[in-house]
Amino acid sequence: MKLAKINQLAINHTSIPSSSSFDRLKRPFNYFLNPDAGNKNITELNQCCIADEKTEGALKELLYENMDSIAVLIGYQGSGKSTDIRHSYQIMNDAIKLDKEHKAVIFPSFFRGVVSGTNIKDVSAVFSDIRNDLAKKICAVCEALEDEIPALTSNFVSDGGKEKFFELIKQTNPKVLANIHSLEKEDKEQKVANAYKNDYFIYIATKLKYYLSNPLCSYHKILIILDDIESLPDYGYQEQTVSQYMRLYSCLRNLPVMDESEKVYVNMLLSVRPLTYRLLRKTKIQINARNIYKLESVNLKKYFQKKYTLLPSNIKEKEEWKSAYDILVHLSEKFEGKYANMIKKLVYMNIRETFKVYYDILSNFTWIARESSIHEGIIEYTINNITVIRALACNADKVYYNDIGGLIPNIFYDTVDKENLLLGLYIVSYFVQKQHGIWKYGENTVSVRKICEDFQDIFGKEKINQAKLMEHINYLYEVGILNVSIKEQFEDGKGKLMESNLIYLSSKGCEIWSMLSADSVLMEMYREDFYLKYDRQENGEQFLSSYELMNLNKQSLLFLLVYEMIYELCLIEKVQIEMTINNGTYGKYLSWFGSEPIVGHLKKGVDNSIAYSGNSGDWKIMECSQKLNQIIDEMKNLYLNN
């Protein structure tokens, strides 16, 4: 990957007819950055969709299986699960699809909020509402089959059909045939009428079974799809909804021994977010299913390219639309897609959030967008490591905005507590060494208790205060660097982590760790978080922000100041390594944190920025770099020298 130097700014010139105001670009940006623009029907969906081949391949396999199964598609909010489902099965809404190729009935339920106006505090009313809604949908499936195969209707109302239907109910759900208020023995037709009145849900579900198992029917597989249940009003409503669909799944599978030609295969697909999956696992609902993980996000360059080709030919202000498109593609493909991938990982693949971040970046006049001082009506876009990351981390301000809700939190947590300054980095490094398999949703995890035991084992209980360690772990969880497992029975936002919780390093945590070794920007901001927050009353250039130093043409001093900060961290890490050698736990230290000192990881990022900037030949920087390399080498050789 070839990177430009920091001082070689990539500039796009955006032509604006009468004003340099960013408002003139809002209309095209709103179109490109709106995932709901288009996608109104299957044709538009196919035109706009960038297929996730791995996820869609797993979804399509459900149509080829000759067995009953439940599958759960797990993905973060806004990661594209619904689009994958719609594109895989070529469905757009809740309409029933009769798939002749796979001889399957596709029965989708895309929830978009409350099913009806029922008072959600009335549990019995909620149960009845959900059940009635599902019964109506099952009825719609039966009608779709009747429209496709009229012989099913005539067969059902025939004497032989009535007899078979009665026997099917009797063998699967006989209690619905009973009339406890009748003193006389009722005939079969009256008993079926009782089933209709007593439990319409069972009646219509059995009718669907009758149709699917009928030799006249060419469809002997049904795929039940539940998506977007999180839009329902509360978790109780969601749980009841899933419970009723699970009941339908069980009901359809409840068939007597049948001939090969009458076999019915029932498949169910539940699409949920990780938190919903965790909550469902802790209830009476038992989801014994295979998991399909949404691991890839949309390629934004291809996405914008497709949307651009769909623009109406008669659109006005074509130059502005072309300029907005060029800017978005440039940001998405710069450095082989570095910024697009970085943003998606920081927001857990949420495309809507990604588009919002794009908009915030492009409207940031402090770092990205500047009005040209040469050409009136021109906006210059400067897209490089400094400008993009600063726009992400600083809002519209000139210095680092460290906030719990910020996109890029300070991994050091408390820059005043020198003794534990590296603790947050050690925790992240601990997880980095364990990255294998599926960590994105916490399929692989470590318990909080295990982390505490390992840290105390390696550094000594007298040196690692468990309360302080828990404080750091909870902070990293609160800012999204750590997350709880999909297997965890834990409600996000409900208090702090306990020792029993299972956690993993999130995509945001992985990305911030990678960003530390990519360039110096994060370390520059962390320096500001320390000096500008606690020592701003002091005078001197060392207390200026990077922005101010760059404006004073003091870039070399900026790098030296970050090097000095890393040197302080070296002294802290050296003490930690010496401690493990004395404890006889240095071997464990290497296996848990790697042979490369953590400060070496940080220095690599600063070295990269220095190389990009063209300051590698500065004698002060060279001297300071050699001093750092020397102490890092000493740390690597401490064990051999003892």
Side-chain angles (χ1 to χ4, degrees):
M1 182 169 68
K2 185 177 181 182
L3 303 179
K5 294 180 179 179
I6 286 177
N7 58 4
Q8 293 176 338
L9 304 181
I11 297 178
N12 285 324
H13 296 282
T14 304
S15 176
I16 302 177
S18 59
S19 169
S20 60
S21 170
F22 178 77
D23 291 343
R24 299 300 299 271
L25 286 177
K26 279 187 176 179
R27 187 163 169 250
F29 278 144
N30 283 337
Y31 166 77
F32 286 113
L33 297 175
N34 178 8
D36 295 327
N39 293 341
K40 291 182 179 179
N41 50 53
I42 289 294
T43 301
E44 289 188 359
L45 176 70
N46 291 335
Q47 287 174 330
C48 291
C49 182
I50 308 297
D52 178 352
E53 295 181 1
K54 187 172 182 179
T55 300
E56 291 197 11
L59 293 176
K60 290 175 181 177
E61 282 181 9
L62 299 179
L63 293 177
Y64 291 98
E65 296 174 342
N66 287 327
M67 64 178 182
D68 300 339
S69 69
I70 299 176
V72 183
L73 174 59
I74 301 170
Y76 291 114
Q77 179 181 4
S79 60
K81 301 186 299 298
S82 298
T83 300
D84 289 337
I85 291 171
R86 288 185 169 94
H87 191 252
S88 295
Y89 304 127
Q90 290 293 283
I91 52 178
M92 201 64 203
N93 47 42
D94 288 348
I96 310 303
K97 178 179 179 179
L98 302 180
D99 187 335
K100 294 182 179 179
E101 179 185 353
H102 302 99
K103 298 180 179 180
V105 176
I106 299 178
F107 173 17
S109 289
F110 293 102
F111 295 99
R112 299 178 182 86
V114 183
V115 178
S116 73
T118 300
N119 181 358
I120 62 174
K121 293 182 180 180
D122 186 341
V123 177
S124 62
V126 166
F127 176 82
S128 176
D129 187 48
I130 294 170
R131 192 173 169 83
N132 289 338
D133 183 75
L134 178 52
K136 291 175 185 177
K137 292 180 177 180
I138 299 169
C139 185
V141 178
C142 291
E143 290 179 354
L145 288 170
E146 291 167 350
D147 292 341
E148 177 80 10
I149 311 168
L152 286 174
T153 306
S154 56
N155 175 268
F156 183 74
V157 299
S158 68
D159 291 340
K162 290 179 181 178
E163 178 68 26
K164 287 184 178 180
F165 184 61
F166 172 78
E167 289 299 325
L168 183 57
I169 299 178
K170 186 177 180 181
Q171 294 178 54
T172 55
N173 286 285
K175 67 178 181 179
V176 299
L177 296 170
N179 182 359
I180 61 174
H181 302 293
S182 176
L183 297 176
E184 299 179 1
K185 184 174 178 64
E186 297 179 320
D187 60 27
K188 294 179 180 179
E189 190 168 336
Q190 289 174 317
K191 286 182 177 293
V192 172
N194 291 337
Y196 184 90
K197 293 176 183 178
N198 291 342
D199 197 330
Y200 181 72
F201 177 89
I202 293 296
Y203 172 88
I204 196 64
T206 307
K207 184 177 180 180
L208 177 56
K209 284 194 290 187
Y210 177 86
Y211 280 168
L212 291 173
S213 61
N214 196 310
L216 294 170
C217 183
S218 54
Y219 304 96
H220 296 285
K221 173 188 282 288
I222 184 167
L223 173 60
I224 305 164
I225 301 172
L226 288 82
D227 181 55
D228 199 22
I229 66 168
E230 290 85 3
S231 68
L232 295 173
D234 64 11
Y235 176 68
Y237 209 115
Q238 296 167 22
E239 180 189 359
Q240 284 287 352
T241 299
V242 175
S243 179
Q244 288 305 304
Y245 276 80
M246 293 286 286
R247 188 179 182 202
L248 172 61
Y249 172 81
S250 298
C251 181
L252 293 178
R253 295 181 67 234
N254 182 16
L255 284 167
V257 178
M258 312 188 86
D259 294 336
E260 187 68 30
S261 62
E262 297 175 331
K263 278 189 176 179
V264 178
Y265 298 106
V266 187
N267 301 99
M268 182 170 168
L269 173 64
L270 176 61
S271 172
V272 293
R273 300 170 192 169
L275 173 58
T276 309
Y277 183 80
R278 287 197 293 272
L279 291 173
L280 289 173
R281 282 175 57 89
K282 68 181 290 188
T283 66
K284 60 185 178 182
I285 299 173
Q286 298 296 317
I287 305 178
N288 298 316
R290 83 181 76 176
N291 292 340
I292 301 172
Y293 296 101
K294 176 69 176 171
L295 299 176
E296 299 296 331
S297 189
V298 65
N299 182 306
L300 292 179
K301 177 185 175 183
K302 293 181 179 179
Y303 176 84
F304 294 134
Q305 286 174 336
K306 280 201 170 186
K307 295 202 78 168
Y308 186 69
T309 62
L310 296 175
L311 284 175
S313 58
N314 62 345
I315 195 168
K316 297 180 180 179
E317 302 154 342
K318 289 185 178 180
E319 290 185 3
E320 289 184 14
W321 285 78
K322 179 64 165 62
S323 296
Y325 166 74
D326 288 342
I327 291 165
L328 290 166
V329 170
H330 180 63
L331 178 57
S332 300
E333 70 175 357
K334 183 79 172 181
F335 302 152
E336 298 180 0
K338 170 183 175 178
Y339 301 125
N341 293 329
M342 175 181 69
I343 294 166
K344 286 186 288 186
K345 289 175 183 176
L346 290 174
V347 298
Y348 315 109
M349 300 197 300
N350 188 323
I351 295 302
R352 292 181 184 276
E353 285 297 313
T354 300
F355 287 160
K356 182 181 181 297
V357 172
Y358 261 53
Y359 197 93
D360 290 342
I361 289 174
L362 294 170
S363 61
N364 189 311
F365 275 82
T366 301
W367 292 101
I368 294 290
R370 289 183 174 84
E371 296 184 11
S372 173
S373 58
I374 301 174
H375 305 288
E376 184 179 354
I378 297 291
I379 293 180
E380 297 176 346
Y381 280 88
T382 307
I383 298 174
N384 59 35
N385 290 343
I386 292 177
T387 60
V388 172
I389 295 174
R390 284 284 182 175
L392 291 175
C394 305
N395 289 347
D397 301 324
K398 297 178 182 178
V399 296
Y400 180 43
Y401 177 71
N402 182 19
D403 183 78
I404 289 295
L407 203 59
I408 302 178
N410 191 337
I411 205 168
F412 289 103
Y413 174 47
D414 189 348
T415 46
V416 175
D417 185 2
K418 291 291 183 69
E419 184 177 349
N420 293 291
L421 193 55
L422 281 176
L423 195 51
L425 274 172
Y426 269 125
I427 294 169
V428 174
S429 177
Y430 175 88
F431 279 98
V432 169
Q433 298 302 317
K434 297 176 180 294
Q435 292 294 312
H436 57 83
I438 300 174
W439 281 82
K440 190 162 286 187
Y441 296 102
E443 182 72 2
N444 297 315
T445 58
V446 180
S447 71
V448 174
R449 180 181 293 109
K450 180 67 164 61
I451 297 173
C452 293
E453 290 173 353
D454 285 347
F455 272 66
Q456 290 188 330
D457 183 28
I458 195 169
F459 295 113
K461 290 185 178 181
E462 69 282 358
K463 293 297 182 180
I464 292 292
N465 180 284
Q466 183 157 332
K468 177 62 69 174
L469 183 59
M470 287 293 295
E471 191 178 328
H472 275 72
I473 292 172
N474 271 296
Y475 166 75
L476 294 175
Y477 166 70
E478 190 174 6
V479 298
I481 289 174
L482 298 178
N483 207 344
V484 291
S485 166
I486 57 169
K487 297 180 177 180
E488 181 65 89
Q489 295 185 2
F490 179 81
E491 297 184 35
D492 288 351
K494 304 290 184 181
K496 294 185 178 296
L497 293 170
M498 306 297 289
E499 288 187 28
S500 59
N501 291 128
L502 304 173
I503 59 175
Y504 67 101
L505 186 66
S506 70
S507 62
K508 183 174 186 175
C510 292
E511 186 60 26
I512 288 178
W513 176 261
S514 298
M515 290 167 69
L516 284 168
S517 64
D519 54 55
S520 65
V521 182
L522 290 196
M523 286 304 297
E524 292 174 34
M525 293 191 297
Y526 295 162
R527 182 189 72 86
E528 292 169 6
D529 193 38
F530 173 55
Y531 288 112
L532 303 184
K533 183 183 292 184
Y534 301 105
D535 296 301
R536 188 58 178 172
Q537 68 274 16
E538 300 289 340
N539 297 317
E541 292 179 331
Q542 68 268 34
F543 301 112
L544 296 177
S545 70
S546 297
Y547 183 86
E548 292 166 315
L549 289 171
M550 291 290 286
N551 286 340
L552 293 172
N553 199 27
K554 299 280 187 177
Q555 190 180 49
S556 296
L557 176 59
L558 167 60
F559 292 133
L560 289 171
L561 292 173
V562 179
Y563 266 163
E564 286 180 12
M565 184 178 180
I566 294 177
Y567 187 80
E568 289 185 32
L569 298 174
C570 282
L571 298 178
I572 296 172
E573 186 172 7
K574 186 177 180 182
V575 171
Q576 301 290 347
I577 293 175
E578 289 173 339
M579 188 187 308
T580 64
I581 293 173
N582 293 333
N583 293 342
T585 57
Y586 183 61
K588 291 181 179 179
Y589 179 95
L590 293 177
S591 66
W592 289 339
F593 305 117
S595 58
E596 176 70 21
I598 291 177
V599 287
H601 185 77
L602 305 179
K603 183 177 184 294
K604 189 184 300 181
V606 184
D607 291 347
N608 287 337
S609 287
I610 291 172
Y612 304 154
S613 70
N615 284 287
S616 299
D618 184 289
W619 69 271
K620 288 185 178 179
I621 289 178
M622 292 175 63
E623 187 177 70
C624 194
S625 178
Q626 290 173 359
K627 180 181 177 182
L628 276 173
N629 287 337
Q630 182 178 350
I631 192 172
I632 289 172
D633 288 339
E634 287 177 6
M635 281 190 272
K636 291 180 180 179
N637 296 322
L638 272 173
Y639 181 74
L640 297 176
N641 297 331
N642 282 270

